[in-house]
Amino acid sequence: STKQPKEPIDVISKSRTLKVMRSALAGIPILTPQWMDACLRETHLVAPSGTMCIRTLPRKQATGTDAAREDNEDTPTEHFGVAKYAAAFQNTTLSSSNHLLSGVSVFLCGSSAGSGMTKDLKVLLQQAGASIISSVSMASRLLTDITKRGKGDPFVFLCDDSLANKTCGISDALLKQAKKLLVARDSSKTEGKETLLCVHFNWLFDSISCASLMNSAAYEPSAPRTKALWDLATESQTDRSNRKESQIY
C-alpha cells in the first residue's frame, strides 16, 4: 500500500512578541529550544524540522458576540500562519505588491501616537507593506480623494485603548468625512474588500498571525466616536455582503 504523506505538525508559539511577528513577516524561521538541543547533541548546526519549527502564532480569542461573528468557514485562521509566510518567500521573490498590507493606508489614532506602542506598530506596519498616514490633514486629503474617485485601496483607522473622544484621535470633522465615504460606497453598490475600517490595534496583530486581513467586526474600539465609526463601517460591509448573497441563484 502507498504510504500517506505525514501531516505537518502545527507547533504553536506560547507568546506573540514584536520579534516573532517581525520574524514571521520576514519569512525568518522561528525555532523552539528543541532545535538548540539537537544542535548540541549533534555538535553542529542541524536543519530544523518537525517540532523544532514554530508554524503558528496565537491570536486574540474572540468571545461572546465576537465569536458568533467569526464563527464561519470564511474567517481566516491562525493555524500555519508562520508557514504561509515562509512558503511565500520560497515560491517567489517578495515584492511590494504581495506584502500583507500592500496598498493599505493606516492612520494611527489615539494617545498611543506618542507612546512606545506606536513605535512597535509602525515597525510592523512598515514591514507588512502599509502606507502610514502621519497626520490628520493627510488622512483628510486621502479620504476626500477616495470619496471623489469612488474607489480606492483600504483605509484603516487603527485605534488604541482610549475611552474618551478627546483622546481617541478622530476629530468630529474626520468622522464626518469617513461617514461620507461610507455613504458614497453604499450608494455605488460596489462589491469587494472593505474600503474603510475602524478597528482596535489587535486587528493588526491577528492579521499578522493569520497571514490575512481580518474582518473588522471582531475588533471594536473603545471610545464613543471610534465605536460609532466602527459600527457604521461594519454595518456597511454586512449590507454589501447581504446584497451579494441575495444575487446568488
Side-chain angles (χ1 to χ4, degrees):
S1 60
T2 307
K3 286 187 177 181
Q4 294 295 323
K6 290 183 178 180
E7 290 291 326
I9 302 170
D10 188 10
V11 182
I12 303 173
S13 174
K14 292 181 180 179
S15 61
R16 183 177 62 180
T17 63
L18 175 67
K19 188 175 291 185
V20 296
M21 285 191 283
R22 291 192 66 187
S23 297
L25 287 169
I28 297 172
I30 305 170
L31 306 178
T32 68
Q34 290 187 29
W35 175 75
M36 294 181 66
D37 292 340
C39 292
L40 291 171
R41 186 169 56 251
E42 300 296 329
T43 67
H44 62 81
L45 293 178
V46 300
S49 62
T51 55
M52 299 179 194
C53 304
I54 295 291
R55 294 181 174 84
T56 295
L57 300 183
R59 72 178 176 109
K60 169 184 171 287
Q61 294 300 312
T63 56
T65 55
D66 290 348
R69 286 179 179 132
E70 291 201 348
D71 189 20
N72 66 76
E73 58 185 15
D74 296 327
T75 301
T77 173
E78 69 271 26
H79 296 296
F80 295 101
V82 175
K84 290 175 187 176
Y85 290 116
F89 273 86
Q90 287 182 346
N91 293 336
T92 183
T93 301
L94 193 67
S95 68
S96 60
S97 63
N98 56 16
H99 281 77
L100 175 65
L101 295 178
S102 176
V104 178
S105 297
V106 180
F107 179 52
L108 293 170
C109 306
S111 56
S112 67
S115 71
M117 165 68 80
T118 297
K119 182 180 177 182
D120 293 345
L121 291 174
K122 284 182 176 179
V123 166
L124 290 173
L125 289 169
Q126 288 168 346
Q127 194 166 343
S131 297
I132 299 175
I133 307 303
S134 57
S135 67
V136 172
S137 60
M138 189 183 293
S140 177
R141 286 196 299 270
L142 184 55
L143 288 173
T144 299
D145 182 59
I146 296 173
T147 304
K148 284 181 179 178
R149 289 190 290 114
K151 61 181 180 179
D153 292 321
F155 186 104
V156 179
F157 289 94
L158 195 64
C159 306
D160 67 356
D161 291 319
S162 295
L163 299 173
N165 285 339
K166 64 180 181 180
T167 56
C168 75
I170 300 179
S171 65
D172 188 53
L174 204 56
L175 175 62
K176 288 178 181 177
Q177 275 192 287
K179 285 181 177 180
K180 187 176 180 180
L181 170 59
L182 290 170
V183 169
R185 172 66 193 262
D186 287 345
S187 304
S188 68
K189 296 184 179 180
T190 3
E191 305 299 340
K193 54 190 176 183
E194 294 176 279
T195 302
L196 187 146
L197 298 84
C198 183
V199 290
H200 185 270
F201 59 72
N202 276 327
W203 172 87
L204 172 62
F205 301 153
D206 285 354
S207 292
I208 292 172
S209 289
C210 298
S212 179
L213 299 188
M214 303 300 290
N215 187 290
S216 59
Y219 301 93
E220 181 180 3
S222 304
R225 189 173 289 150
T226 56
K227 278 185 178 182
L229 182 54
W230 168 84
D231 190 55
L232 191 62
T234 52
E235 181 183 344
S236 172
Q237 178 65 16
T238 301
D239 288 345
R240 289 197 300 276
S241 298
N242 289 341
R243 284 201 302 266
K244 186 177 180 180
E245 288 175 4
S246 66
Q247 293 170 355
I248 298 175
Y249 300 99

